[in-house]
Amino acid sequence: MARKKIIAGNWKMNKTPSEAVALINELKPLVANEEVDVVFCVPAISIIPAMEAAKGSNISIGAENMYYEESGAYTGEIAPNMLTDVGVKYVIIGHSERREYFAETDETVNKKVLKAFEHGITPIICCGESLTQREQGITIDWIRQQIKIAFLNVTADQAKEAVIAYEPIWAIGTGKTATSEQAEEVCAAIRECIAEIYDDATAAAIRIQYGGSVGANNAAELFAKENIDGGLVGGASLKADFGQIVNYK
């Protein structure tokens, strides 16, 4: 069975709640493609108005982050049941910006992944290498380590439902994009790694996105690759171009 493409917008720290509603209303007719899963991961304060604005459309609303405890003295954090209570189905976990600016580690990523599954939220698990790591030829080793730790104690049934986002850090917001061949090579290696941890059936089911300067100009070429099942889109998800990415065919 062919894997259904999943194209997610990562809004990062952009758009006020009222601006979020306006953007969703603008994008709704442009992303109406039932052949792919369309997700907007928006800032926490915009989740509820975004949910309202997306009602009746094919857009799912996701979160950009989540904590790995149920509740407690964690000022500023968002608990998983706060997300599920308003209908959130997806959460981005371990984005390189979270790792770089907020000291997230492979271990905290794993805790968040486990907690997301416990609450029935689909994690979009990010991995990726820096320019130095790529230039030193350790990209695959680095990614394999990130994946193996992220999936620690995750069952095969859970893993099949997960989404992995491969984002070369050197291509995020830089205008540089991995070539479709470079992206496919790493996504294929990720699938092989999942097959090693679990089995071929799990590896065949899991969806792997590419992220990093995805735009209307390169989406079709990237998404045509055997192991690339969609994209995690940054800047281009904040404008009408996102419609062209979703309707890449």
Side-chain angles (χ1 to χ4, degrees):
M1 190 177 117
R3 293 179 296 273
K4 189 176 185 182
K5 294 275 193 282
I6 176 166
I7 300 173
N10 175 16
W11 287 19
K12 307 189 181 184
M13 195 176 74
N14 292 295
K15 301 293 178 187
T16 64
S18 55
E19 288 170 344
V21 169
L23 180 59
I24 288 170
N25 285 331
E26 180 191 355
L27 286 174
K28 269 194 289 197
L30 305 179
V31 300
N33 180 355
E34 296 292 345
E35 290 182 19
V36 302
D37 287 333
V38 179
V39 185
F40 291 172
C41 295
V42 305
I45 197 169
S46 295
I47 288 172
I48 293 171
M51 282 275 180
E52 286 295 316
K55 266 185 183 165
S57 75
N58 62 315
I59 299 166
S60 296
I61 301 299
E64 296 181 14
N65 187 31
M66 181 198 86
Y67 201 52
Y68 52 75
E69 295 290 354
E70 297 288 333
S71 62
Y74 305 105
T75 302
E77 291 295 330
I78 304 283
N81 65 344
M82 295 176 184
L83 297 179
T84 55
D85 188 69
V86 295
V88 167
K89 299 283 198 301
Y90 296 90
V91 61
I92 298 173
I93 292 179
H95 192 280
S96 60
E97 290 154 3
R98 298 290 318 169
R99 296 175 192 254
E100 181 181 355
Y101 304 131
F102 305 103
E104 292 199 5
T105 64
D106 291 340
E107 288 72 21
T108 58
V109 166
N110 175 241
K111 287 182 178 181
K112 290 182 179 188
V113 167
L114 292 170
K115 187 56 71 173
F117 278 125
E118 200 179 306
H119 285 265
I121 306 172
T122 299
I124 298 174
I125 304 160
C126 299
C127 61
E129 82 284 9
S130 67
L131 189 57
T132 303
Q133 288 159 345
R134 177 161 280 275
E135 287 173 345
Q136 293 305 309
I138 61 168
T139 294
I140 302 298
D141 294 337
W142 179 262
I143 302 285
R144 283 172 59 85
Q145 176 178 308
Q146 288 184 314
I147 294 299
K148 287 195 168 184
I149 296 174
F151 281 84
L152 191 64
N153 297 320
V154 173
T155 69
D157 284 343
Q158 289 172 331
K160 285 174 184 168
E161 300 300 320
V163 177
I164 297 172
Y166 165 56
E167 296 200 305
I169 297 166
W170 49 271
I172 297 174
T174 61
K176 291 181 181 174
T177 314
T179 65
S180 54
E181 289 74 23
Q182 286 173 320
E184 168 66 10
E185 179 192 17
V186 178
C187 290
I190 291 169
R191 206 173 297 284
E192 283 171 27
C193 186
I194 293 293
E196 284 174 30
I197 300 170
Y198 301 103
D199 50 41
D200 289 344
T202 306
I206 200 166
R207 295 190 287 180
I208 304 172
Q209 298 173 315
Y210 170 75
S213 299
V214 176
N217 61 327
N218 59 11
E221 185 185 348
L222 286 163
F223 300 166
K225 293 295 184 186
E226 184 185 350
N227 289 290
I228 300 178
D229 305 313
L232 184 58
V233 183
S237 69
L238 297 167
K239 47 194 178 186
D241 283 10
F242 193 57
Q244 292 173 264
I245 296 170
V246 168
N247 296 288
Y248 63 93
K249 285 183 181 175

